[in-house]
Amino acid sequence: MLVEITSPLPDRPLWAALSPDDSEAAAVGRQLVVTRHPLDPPADGAGPTGPRPLAGHESTVYRAIYTPNGQALATVSGDTTLRLWDLTTGQSLFRLQLPTANRDASPLWDFDLTCTTDQSACWIAVP
């Protein structure tokens, strides 16, 4: 399936991630907002039909990774923060301030997220 992700500003996403159930894509970029795009909006209008923003970062958002169950999304930004978003409420669950000492040595957007099979625990690895 080919999905075009557009934005209202003359900006292009820097990264897009597909949810584990293929129901949406999260696009990030210079707009400071993570935008969730439904890929197969329900015809009856029972679910989301348009883009849904997650706002809170204060600089370019470089990367997004869904948790395996698709209920949360981790994002990293040039404001040197990593956020974990609850996708049910759209609220930030927590904000991690990343170290700034070696910004030139390792890119800020280089992080990973992994969870146990039952998702009772998750780990975020940052440089």
Side-chain angles (χ1 to χ4, degrees), residues 2-115:
L2 178 63
V3 176
E4 180 181 356
I5 297 176
T6 60
S7 63
L9 298 175
D11 188 17
R12 297 286 182 241
L14 297 174
W15 181 271
L18 188 61
S19 66
D21 66 358
D22 299 334
S23 67
E24 72 177 27
V28 299
R30 290 179 288 275
Q31 294 178 7
L32 319 185
V33 174
V34 179
T35 307
R36 298 168 56 204
H37 297 268
L39 299 181
D40 246 347
D44 64 2
T49 58
R52 291 167 290 155
L54 299 172
H57 282 296
E58 298 171 6
S59 186
T60 300
V61 183
Y62 289 105
R63 191 163 178 206
I65 300 175
Y66 284 91
T67 56
N69 66 2
Q71 294 178 355
L73 183 72
T75 59
V76 69
S77 167
D79 63 10
T80 67
T81 64
L82 184 143
R83 291 180 184 258
L84 186 67
W85 304 90
D86 179 332
L87 297 182
T88 303
T89 65
Q91 299 298 310
S92 178
L93 294 171
F94 73 82
R95 176 182 169 270
L96 174 66
Q97 186 67 47
L98 300 173
T100 59
N102 291 327
R103 283 182 69 172
D104 295 332
S106 62
L108 288 174
W109 58 89
D110 186 16
F111 81 101
D112 202 2
L113 170 77
T114 190
C115 300

